[in-house]
């Protein structure tokens, strides 16, 4: 009856907080009942405030939190049951497997598994790249230049994937009005919405996997380069030059000529084996990272949750602004800690991506 | 006592929250907060449905057509916001009736086995009494 009670801070704050909590519910449920639930909560908070004041409102919260969490979990589980009977058992058995791995499985076996993974990655990822670098080094007689050349080669191989990703991004942008229309049409039927979106994507030949693949392939490459640089650093830092050289030679394929000299890691003002003392490379890498994200519209989360659900919306909201800043800061931190060689390779990869964007689109980068 | 139909039986037993909501609506249309207040007062504050539990039950009852949305209007005893009112459907009334019969039979059995002696013959309508 006194509407100004709503404006008293305990009621207003509780209402605002409660409305934030509604994101925990599945979007269909939230759009159907969210406003009403918040209204009911405010009604209750208002009555309790009149009777017991601010402390009374505070005591509402433990039960309210329990209620929100249990109802949200229940509602999500029910939706999952409707959507796929396969996903939950799959996640469940994965959790059990990981649990068994870390508890029941004896330590020796566990370490053997880690070791096997290490050997596997070394064989499949590190060694081919390392040998490629050594071959390039034999040709150009400059280790930094060899690093750059191998990076260029790798990025060129990835160009078709990048083109596909750019195409996908462009087509998705054009489809945005249609997608919005679908969301409005099916806002209370998430299953039908998903099917309609799938149809629309299929009609336009869009595969949502292109971008994640392009991004994910950068990881093993950076891993391989990191270990390649590490091998050379370990070799160079060894007091016994012959022993150091053997670190390099034992990783070279038997059919390739062995090295008889340690590579020189110095690169203009810095040494690729250490972090850049002037911080020029890290800053450049950070700037390039932000630029690349802006130019390529690399908001991967938008593609991973194409179903109009809560996490997608939350993440794309984050992705729209914060992610550029975060990625830049991350690149800066990595550049400050890791050897400059890695930062250099990262920067060259980004330059390739930007150049690819410019060339492939046939337009200026800011058009 | 009315004959209990087959189609009603498949809804039984109702969850406590569902039965309380049907019970609250048996007296007439109510909005969400009205249901919450009614449940709290009939159980003397023993059962207080949170908004989440309340609307999950409302959703399930709507899907089962045991209740229906009435209309949206303001409640003069509360603020001047518009609120959605809910009402019992015919089916909902019969289901609530069947559940009440089921529960009263349980209570009768409890009485037969002298579980209620020394309680003054009257038991609370709340769940804790059963």
């Amino acid at each position: 009856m006194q509407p100004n009670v709503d404006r008293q801070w305990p009621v207003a704050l509780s209402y605002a907080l409660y409305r934030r909590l509604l994101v925990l519910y599945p979007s269909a449920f939230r759009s159907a009942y969210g406003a009403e639930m918040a209204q009911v909560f405010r009604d209750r908070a208002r009555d309790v405030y009149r009777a017991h004041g601010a402390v009374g409102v505070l005591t509402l919260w433990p039960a309210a939190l329990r209620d929100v969490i249990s109802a949200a979990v229940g509602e999500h589980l029910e939706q999952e049951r409707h959507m796929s009977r396969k996903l939950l058992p799959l996640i469940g058995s994965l959790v059990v497997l990981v649990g068994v791995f870390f508890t029941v499985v004896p330590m020796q076996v566990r370490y053997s598994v880690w070791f096997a993974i290490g050997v596997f990655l070394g064989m499949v990822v590190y060694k081919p790249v390392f040998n490629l670098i050594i071959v390039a080094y034999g040709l150009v007689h400059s280790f930094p230049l060899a690093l750059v050349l191998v990076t260029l080669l790798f990025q060129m191989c990835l160009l078709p994937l990048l083109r596909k990703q750019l195409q996908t991004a462009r087509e998705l942008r054009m489809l945005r009005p249609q997608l919005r229309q679908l969301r409005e049409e099916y806002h209370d039927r998430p299953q039908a919405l998903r099917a309609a979106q799938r149809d629309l994507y299929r009609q336009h030949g869009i595969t949502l996997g292109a971008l994640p693949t392009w991004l994910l392939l950068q990881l093993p490459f950076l891993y391989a380069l990191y270990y390649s640089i590490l091998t050379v650093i370990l070799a160079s830092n060894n007091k016994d030059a012959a022993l150091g050289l053997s670190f390099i030679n034992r990783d070279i394929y038997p059919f390739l000529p062995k090295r008889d000299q340690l590579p020189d890691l110095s690169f203009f003002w810095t040494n690729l084996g250490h972090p850049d003392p002037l911080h020029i490379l890290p800053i450049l890498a950070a700037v390039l990272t932000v630029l690349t994200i802006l130019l390529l519209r690399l908001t991967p989360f938008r593609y991973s949750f194409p179903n109009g659900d809560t996490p997608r919306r939350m993440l794309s909201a984050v992705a729209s602004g914060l992610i550029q800043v975060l990625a830049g800061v991350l690149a800066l931190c990595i550049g400050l800690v890791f050897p400059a060689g890695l930062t250099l390779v990262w920067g060259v990869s980004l330059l390739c991506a930007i150049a690819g964007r410019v060339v492939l689109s046939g337009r200026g980068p800011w058009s | 006592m009315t004959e209990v139909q087959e189609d009603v039986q498949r809804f039984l037993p109702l969850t406590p929250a569902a039965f309380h909501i049907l019970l609250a609506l048996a007296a007439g249309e109510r909005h969400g907060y009205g249901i919450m207040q009614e449940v709290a007062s009939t159980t003397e504050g023993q059962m207080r449905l949170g908004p989440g539990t309340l609307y999950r039950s409302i959703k399930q009852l709507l899907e089962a057509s045991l209740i229906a949305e009435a209309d949206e209007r303001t409640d003069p005893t509360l603020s001047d916001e518009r609120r959605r009112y809910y009402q019992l459907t015919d089916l909902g009334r019969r289901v609530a009736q069947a559940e009440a019969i089921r529960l009263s039979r349980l209570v009768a059995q409890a009485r037969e086995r002298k579980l209620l002696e020394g309680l003054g013959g009257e038991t609370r309508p709340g769940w804790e009494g059963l």
Side-chain angles (χ1 to χ4, degrees), chain A residues 2 8 46 74 105 133 162 169 178 187 191 208 286 295 307 347:
Chain A
Q2 303 162 314
Q8 299 285 321
R46 188 193 295 132
V105 171
I133 293 171
L162 180 65
Q178 277 161 281
H187 70 95
Q191 239 175 325
L208 296 166
L295 287 180
N307 49 23

Side-chain angles (χ1 to χ4, degrees), chain A residues 112-340:
Chain A
S112 316
V113 170
W114 291 144
F115 185 71
I117 292 175
V119 169
F120 175 79
L121 283 178
M123 252 165 49
V124 175
V125 179
Y126 156 69
K127 270 210 183 166
V129 174
F130 181 70
N131 279 277
L132 211 58
I133 293 171
I134 292 297
V135 168
Y137 175 56
L139 292 175
V140 298
H141 301 291
S142 156
F143 193 74
L145 191 58
L147 281 180
V148 170
L149 283 178
V150 170
T151 309
L152 284 174
L153 187 73
F154 177 76
Q155 294 298 333
M156 255 154 68
C157 294
L158 285 190
L159 266 189
L161 260 179
L162 180 65
R163 181 166 62 195
K164 193 136 201 266
Q165 179 255 305
L166 288 170
Q167 230 168 4
T168 307
R170 200 161 41 233
E171 275 163 359
L172 277 179
R173 260 201 305 288
M174 289 194 306
L175 285 182
R176 214 175 275 166
Q178 277 161 281
L179 284 171
R180 197 177 305 128
Q181 206 180 338
L182 281 182
R183 262 204 294 283
E184 275 161 22
E185 200 174 326
Y186 293 101
H187 70 95
D188 49 349
R189 283 170 293 162
Q191 239 175 325
L193 173 64
R194 238 159 292 223
Q197 282 174 332
R198 258 201 308 278
D199 281 348
L200 188 66
Y201 292 146
R202 203 175 305 127
Q203 271 171 28
H204 291 79
I206 296 179
T207 39
L208 296 166
L211 171 66
T213 323
W214 181 79
L215 267 181
L216 283 177
L217 277 178
Q218 308 286 333
L219 285 181
F221 180 69
L222 284 176
Y223 170 90
L225 273 166
Y226 175 67
Y227 275 96
S228 303
I229 296 168
L230 205 64
T231 302
V232 177
I233 294 170
L234 284 176
S236 313
N237 288 356
N238 210 298
K239 284 200 185 82
D240 183 348
L243 186 66
L245 203 57
S246 76
F247 287 169
I248 292 179
N249 281 333
R250 74 178 171 198
D251 283 343
I252 295 179
Y253 288 138
F255 54 83
L256 288 176
K258 306 285 181 208
R259 309 301 314 171
D260 48 13
Q261 251 186 334
L262 284 168
D264 182 12
L265 283 174
S266 57
F267 176 74
F268 298 107
W269 65 92
T270 176
N271 183 305
L272 292 189
H274 305 286
D276 180 356
L278 300 181
H279 308 317
I280 294 174
L281 282 177
I283 289 169
L284 275 178
V287 171
L288 277 175
T289 305
V290 174
L291 258 182
T292 313
I293 292 177
L294 287 177
L295 287 180
L296 298 190
R297 291 169 216 251
L298 291 181
T299 44
F301 304 116
R302 195 166 291 168
Y303 302 106
S304 335
F305 298 95
N307 49 23
D309 215 306
T310 327
R312 187 200 66 84
R313 279 215 208 109
M314 274 157 50
L315 284 172
S316 65
V318 170
S320 60
L322 205 61
I323 197 131
Q324 287 92 334
V325 179
L326 275 182
V329 171
L330 190 71
L332 190 69
C333 292
I334 288 176
L336 292 177
V337 177
F338 280 80

Side-chain angles (χ1 to χ4, degrees), chain A residues 1 3 6 15 18 25 29 32-33 36-47 67-68 70-75 78, chain B residues 31-33 36-37 48-56 58-60 62-63 69 76-84 86:
Chain A
M1 249 158 313
D6 287 353
Y15 179 64
Y18 194 84
Y25 287 103
F29 186 77
Y33 304 106
E36 275 185 76
M37 287 194 289
Q39 201 177 37
V40 165
F41 182 76
R42 184 164 63 180
D43 289 337
R44 174 109 179 92
R46 188 193 295 132
D47 283 356
D67 175 64
V68 166
S70 75
V73 168
E75 202 55 35
E78 198 170 305
Chain B
H31 51 69
Y33 189 53
M36 193 198 251
Q37 282 176 312
R48 213 176 259 292
L49 297 171
T53 319
L54 176 67
Y55 276 94
R56 280 199 74 199
I58 285 180
K59 179 191 153 206
Q60 282 158 5
L62 280 172
E63 280 168 356
E69 288 172 12
T77 63
L78 291 165
S79 64
D80 49 1
E81 291 167 283
R82 295 176 68 78
R83 282 153 212 279
R84 199 187 287 168
Y86 297 92

